[in-house]
Amino acid sequence: MVSAIQKSRLADITSFARYSFNRGRDWFLRNRRLPRKAELSRLIKRALFEYQIRRRQGLNDLSCPAGFELPQPLDPYQCWIAANQHTEQTVALLRDRLNKSSSLPKISVLMPVYNPPLKFFEMALASVRNQIYENWELCIADDASTEPWVRTRLRELANEDPRIRVCFRERNGNISLASNSAAAIATGDFFLFLDQDDLLTHDALAEVALHLSEHDTIDVLYSDDDKIDTEGNRFAPQFKPDWSPELLLSYMYLSHLLVVRKALFEQVNGFRPGFEGSQDYDLALRVTERARSVAHLPYILYHWRVLRGSTAARGDAKPASFEAGRRAVAEALARRGVEAKVIRPDWAVKGAVGIFWHEFPDDGPSVSIVIPTRNQKRILERCIKSLAITTYRNYEVVVIDNDSDDPETLSYLASLKYRVLKIHNPMGEFNFAYINNRAVEQVDSDYIVFLNNDTEVRDPKWLSRMVGYAGLPGVGAVGARLLYPDGRIQHAGIIHGYYDAMAGPALKLLPDWHHGYLSYGMVARNYSAVTAACLLTPRQLFLEHGGFDERRFGVAYNDVDYCYRLVDNGYRCVYVPGAELYHHEGFSRGFKDDPKEVAAFRRKYSNRIDPYYSPNLSLQNERFEIQPRRLVRIGRRKPIRALMCSNNLNLEGAPYCQYELAIELARRNEVKPVVHSPTEGPLRAIYERAGIEVIVGRHPLHEVFELPEYNRAIDDFSGWMKRSGFQLIYGNTLQTFYAIDAATRGGLPSLWNIRESEPWQTYFNYLLSPLIPKALACFGLPYRVIFVSHASRCTFEPLNASGNFCVIHDGLDTRRLDETRAGWPREKARNTLHLNENEVMVLLLGTICDRKGQKDLVQAMTLLEDNVIKKVRLFIVGDRPSLYSSEMRKMVSALPKHRAAKISIIPETRDTATYYSAADIFVCSSRIESYPRVILEAMAYGLPIISTPIFGILEQIRDGINGDFYKPGDEAELASKLSELVLDREKREKYQINARQVLESLTSFDEMINSYTEVFRESITV
């Protein structure tokens, strides 16, 4: 039987289907023809389709759509491997690079063998013989193997290939002497060391040879590596930093692949007997001491075989190797004249790893510990008390009093036995750089420690260790390991590139027991910078480099800037985990970073590449996570022929952002774009005036309702893409998912730019149920899914199974904007809009629709006091016919006449400069936005902003600096914020000054284009 609910639903369907069918029928009648059978079928499908969409409207069901299951996250390294598979194209490009290079070196691969496992030995041999690069020799030294087949097989090899040279030792001498025997018969320019059961990637020697030919001073070269089990499964990649001398003192991070110039190998007399198990570590320490240059290839070129009983399987498989490694480091320090004891800390012993710490004497050069403070007696007292446990003896404490006026603090300072410097900043504002610079000028110690007053010493040896590392040749700054009071890591070195190309602390918020990727949190190693919350540096070096930059970085980034300048002048910064302190961050300064300083740092260092952070690791967080990507290994090539699919050609944010991206990539000769859109629009003419081809064609999914139809349509579109010779497919907005699916079916790489923030669970509800899973599955297909805000990325993060999500913030082309703005000076714009001198113009710009929430502002007008209404004029720009627009206009009409007269509703226009130039305040009332362009434009025009704090807007506006937030739909709060800005001219002017500075602290247009250029280039090599 049919239930009442079912009868009601059936009647509903029938009624709406009849309405939709009749509407379609009327079209045929107007065109004076009857529908054919196929057209009639489509009419019925369309009616059902529209009914389904109508039923879904307004639903807030955030469960997975029917037929779709969330993808299980894939192993990040397996995703990296997939992105780095070699293809015919990449091999051809590598051969082309080799053919175009001159003076390529001969490489001798040295392999000591002793009773090798036959299967894996043959695989190791094959990995050499199958190299793309051919100018090599394989030198095998048999260390008196007892297996009869070994000698026979080696002789066969020598007879088969003249590049294979063998020698046979009469007595077993272990790996060091066997390796030296292999070296004795080698004739190459460089030695590359290969274990008897490991593998070289087939491009390894090619990449090595190319790099050596391009850099003739390199004496030592190493690459990244991973492990491989007996079944061929790869895991545990080591994505290493560039040359890091202090990290090499902590453990043998060079590992495999290791290349040494033959002359240098002979100069140090090769491997030393007695260091077996760590013979390569001992060699690395000795050759890097004498090398003119040590270089790093950030590619996996070596697979380290994991067999039972090998050190690759477990470090304590050969316990004597740990002692050999310790002795190697101890002798290295002794050779360098450094007094230090080398130990394996307890955690390294328990973890069976060959990692070493260094204990330095408690006596040494003089140190001044400089502690700035202002009031905050209890905080300062805790810091100074904690210094009492310090074992280092030759130090003084110097407290900088920066205008304290609290009687309790002043009394405490007067009671201190330590030196107190009274330093006043004539500018009146707190300036960390200024007061520390003045303090350094007034002390005369060998070293300075800059120490925040909200720190607390945890390890008695902290200063002995910092001074010890500072004494190593070439070290310019030493930083400590700082923990939050709850035990989580706050600082473990600084990495450039975090926080959207700025700088930030490594391993932040990991628990103190977490050693981090490759134990980086618990080993001394080099970073680009360390934090001045606890930073030691030679006083004279600090003065020679001009100290902290007190003009541009008075509060923030002065420590990073100082360290970068040291690094650029050939010095190193060292992070020391054994120098451990608590940092009660937030007490020292209770204010936000000045946008001027953020902007200055971005201008100075936006193009900087961090040598101590692998490009194979993600900059999206501080945890050294693997980023599946393929590094571009060749220079400039022909522009990429790219199909750039747009959702429409209207003058809206998303299509216009694509337009700016396309024309700039074309101008730089990076991309030859062809734009595809299913609908016409004004952007077509603008594209074509710029010389870019535009194809407007019927939507590939036009009247597609079922899965078989979908598959046929996508296959057809895919075939057209391939026939048209496109190398890359770019989809703009979620609506272009079909282009991503078609690209994958055609074997073409793709990029998908997501500019929406709607819930992924409901966004594709406009499709029929069978097609929704197809759309959602597209998130796993492109080389990169590019979001324009972190908030949007987080919204879609459950779909990020393959690690291909990234964020590239939109950058505003301020040069083009300023050219347009020049045609509309403020006075001309205000005269055009008939604004008098005393009126405060409020602008809300964007397509009028429910998502933009313009009704908030109209409703707020009913709540403004009369004294505010007299001053204000409101312009809502972006009208187009819609139900929402009609409702908003009715709201305006219902207002008292004197209030309604203050509101102007303007149709959509490309010529927005008039309104921006005339405006005094900008309002954004949106409910859903990713990273609205209008906010960036408002900043460029120097406008104070009132906005909803939704999604990426929080990544644009600085609350209380250049704008205020109100809760969406809270008209009373909006009215209050608006009243305050209208009446408070001083606050408006402050926000106006800060607006452009905040904009300059965000991603610039050039940075955005460079980021897109990078992913475009990477994607076509996949």
Coordinates of all heavy atoms in Angstrom, one line a residue, residues 28 75 80 92 130 162 164 240 251 304 368 376 380 417 460 500 540 591 626 634 654 674 837 913 985 991:
F28 N 8.8 25.3 -27.2 CA 8.6 24.7 -28.5 C 7.5 25.4 -29.2 O 7.6 25.6 -30.4 CB 8.4 23.2 -28.4 CG 9.6 22.4 -28.1 CD1 9.9 21.9 -26.8 CD2 10.5 22.1 -29.1 CE1 11.0 21.2 -26.5 CE2 11.7 21.4 -28.8 CZ 11.9 20.9 -27.5
D75 N 49.2 7.1 2.3 CA 50.5 7.4 2.9 C 51.2 8.6 2.1 O 51.3 8.5 0.9 CB 51.4 6.2 2.8 CG 52.7 6.4 3.4 OD1 52.9 6.4 4.6 OD2 53.7 6.6 2.6
W80 N 54.0 10.9 -2.7 CA 55.2 11.6 -3.2 C 55.8 10.7 -4.3 O 56.2 11.2 -5.4 CB 56.2 11.8 -2.1 CG 57.4 12.6 -2.6 CD1 57.6 13.9 -2.5 CD2 58.6 12.1 -3.2 NE1 58.8 14.3 -3.0 CE2 59.4 13.2 -3.5 CE3 59.0 10.8 -3.6 CZ2 60.7 13.0 -4.1 CZ3 60.2 10.6 -4.2 CH2 61.0 11.7 -4.4
A92 N 63.3 11.6 -21.5 CA 63.7 12.3 -22.7 C 64.3 13.6 -22.4 O 65.3 14.0 -22.9 CB 62.6 12.4 -23.7
N130 N 71.7 -0.1 -15.6 CA 70.6 0.5 -16.2 C 70.5 2.1 -16.1 O 69.5 2.7 -16.3 CB 69.3 -0.1 -15.6 CG 69.1 -1.5 -16.0 OD1 69.7 -2.0 -17.0 ND2 68.4 -2.3 -15.1
P162 N 83.1 -3.8 -20.1 CA 84.5 -3.2 -19.8 C 84.4 -2.1 -18.7 O 85.4 -1.8 -18.1 CB 84.9 -2.6 -21.1 CG 83.7 -2.4 -21.9 CD 82.8 -3.5 -21.5
I164 N 83.0 -2.5 -15.9 CA 83.0 -3.1 -14.6 C 84.4 -3.7 -14.3 O 84.9 -4.5 -15.0 CB 82.0 -4.3 -14.6 CG1 80.5 -3.7 -14.8 CG2 82.0 -5.0 -13.2 CD1 79.5 -4.8 -14.8
K240 N 66.6 15.8 3.3 CA 67.6 16.4 4.1 C 67.8 17.9 3.8 O 67.3 18.4 2.7 CB 69.0 15.7 3.7 CG 68.9 14.2 3.9 CD 70.1 13.5 3.2 CE 69.9 12.0 3.2 NZ 71.0 11.3 2.4
Y251 N 74.8 13.5 13.8 CA 74.7 12.1 13.3 C 75.0 12.2 11.8 O 75.1 13.2 11.2 CB 73.3 11.5 13.5 CG 72.1 12.1 12.9 CD1 71.7 11.9 11.5 CD2 71.2 12.9 13.6 CE1 70.6 12.4 10.9 CE2 70.1 13.5 13.0 CZ 69.8 13.2 11.7 OH 68.7 13.8 11.2
W304 N 68.0 2.3 0.2 CA 68.8 1.6 1.2 C 68.0 0.4 1.6 O 66.9 0.4 2.2 CB 69.0 2.6 2.4 CG 69.9 2.1 3.4 CD1 70.8 1.1 3.4 CD2 70.1 2.8 4.7 NE1 71.5 1.0 4.6 CE2 71.1 2.1 5.4 CE3 69.6 3.9 5.3 CZ2 71.6 2.4 6.6 CZ3 70.0 4.3 6.6 CH2 71.0 3.5 7.2
S368 N 77.5 38.4 28.4 CA 76.6 39.3 29.0 C 75.2 38.8 28.7 O 74.8 38.7 27.5 CB 76.7 40.8 28.6 OG 77.9 41.3 29.0
Q376 N 56.4 44.4 35.2 CA 56.3 43.0 35.2 C 57.4 42.4 36.2 O 58.2 41.5 35.9 CB 56.6 42.4 33.8 CG 55.6 42.9 32.8 CD 55.9 42.5 31.4 OE1 57.0 42.4 31.0 NE2 54.9 42.3 30.6
L380 N 60.0 39.0 35.7 CA 61.4 39.2 35.7 C 62.1 38.5 36.8 O 63.1 37.8 36.6 CB 61.7 40.7 35.8 CG 63.2 41.1 35.9 CD1 63.9 40.7 34.6 CD2 63.3 42.6 36.2
K417 N 71.5 42.6 42.5 CA 73.0 42.7 42.6 C 73.6 42.8 41.2 O 74.8 43.0 41.0 CB 73.6 41.5 43.3 CG 73.3 40.2 42.6 CD 73.9 39.0 43.3 CE 73.6 37.7 42.6 NZ 74.1 36.5 43.3
P460 N 70.6 23.2 33.5 CA 71.8 24.0 34.0 C 72.9 24.2 33.0 O 73.6 25.1 33.1 CB 72.3 23.1 35.2 CG 71.0 22.3 35.6 CD 70.3 22.0 34.3
D500 N 52.7 31.6 5.0 CA 52.6 32.2 3.7 C 53.8 33.1 3.4 O 53.7 34.3 3.2 CB 51.3 33.1 3.7 CG 50.1 32.3 4.0 OD1 49.9 31.2 3.3 OD2 49.3 32.7 4.9
Q540 N 81.1 41.5 18.9 CA 81.7 42.3 17.8 C 81.0 42.0 16.5 O 80.8 42.9 15.7 CB 83.2 41.9 17.7 CG 84.0 42.8 16.8 CD 84.0 44.3 17.2 OE1 84.0 44.7 18.4 NE2 83.8 45.2 16.2
F591 N 50.9 43.1 22.5 CA 50.3 43.7 21.3 C 50.6 42.9 20.1 O 51.5 42.1 20.1 CB 50.8 45.1 21.2 CG 52.3 45.3 21.4 CD1 53.2 45.1 20.4 CD2 52.7 45.7 22.7 CE1 54.5 45.2 20.7 CE2 54.1 45.8 22.9 CZ 55.0 45.6 21.9
I626 N 55.6 15.5 4.7 CA 55.9 15.3 3.3 C 54.9 16.0 2.4 O 53.7 15.8 2.6 CB 56.1 13.8 3.0 CG1 57.2 13.2 3.8 CG2 56.3 13.6 1.5 CD1 57.3 11.7 3.7
I634 N 64.7 21.4 -14.7 CA 65.2 22.0 -16.0 C 64.9 23.5 -16.0 O 64.0 23.9 -15.3 CB 64.7 21.3 -17.2 CG1 63.2 21.4 -17.3 CG2 65.1 19.9 -17.3 CD1 62.6 20.9 -18.5
A654 N 35.8 35.5 -9.1 CA 36.5 34.3 -9.6 C 36.9 34.3 -11.0 O 38.1 34.1 -11.4 CB 35.6 33.0 -9.3
V674 N 44.3 29.1 -23.4 CA 43.1 29.1 -24.1 C 42.0 29.0 -23.1 O 41.9 28.0 -22.3 CB 43.0 27.9 -25.1 CG1 41.6 27.9 -25.8 CG2 44.1 28.0 -26.2
E837 N 31.2 67.7 1.2 CA 32.5 67.5 1.9 C 32.3 66.8 3.3 O 33.2 66.0 3.7 CB 33.1 68.9 2.1 CG 34.5 68.9 2.8 CD 35.0 70.3 3.0 OE1 34.5 71.2 2.4 OE2 36.1 70.4 3.7
A913 N 36.2 52.0 -9.7 CA 37.2 53.0 -9.2 C 36.5 54.3 -8.6 O 36.9 54.8 -7.6 CB 38.2 53.4 -10.2
R985 N 36.6 60.3 13.6 CA 37.4 60.6 12.5 C 38.9 60.1 12.7 O 39.5 59.6 11.8 CB 37.4 62.1 12.2 CG 38.2 62.5 10.9 CD 38.2 64.0 10.8 NE 38.8 64.4 9.5 CZ 38.1 64.6 8.4 NH1 36.8 64.5 8.4 NH2 38.8 64.9 7.3
Y991 N 42.9 53.7 10.7 CA 42.6 52.6 9.9 C 43.0 52.8 8.4 O 43.4 51.9 7.7 CB 41.1 52.2 9.9 CG 40.7 51.4 11.2 CD1 41.6 51.3 12.3 CD2 39.5 50.8 11.3 CE1 41.2 50.6 13.4 CE2 39.1 50.1 12.4 CZ 40.0 50.0 13.5 OH 39.6 49.3 14.6

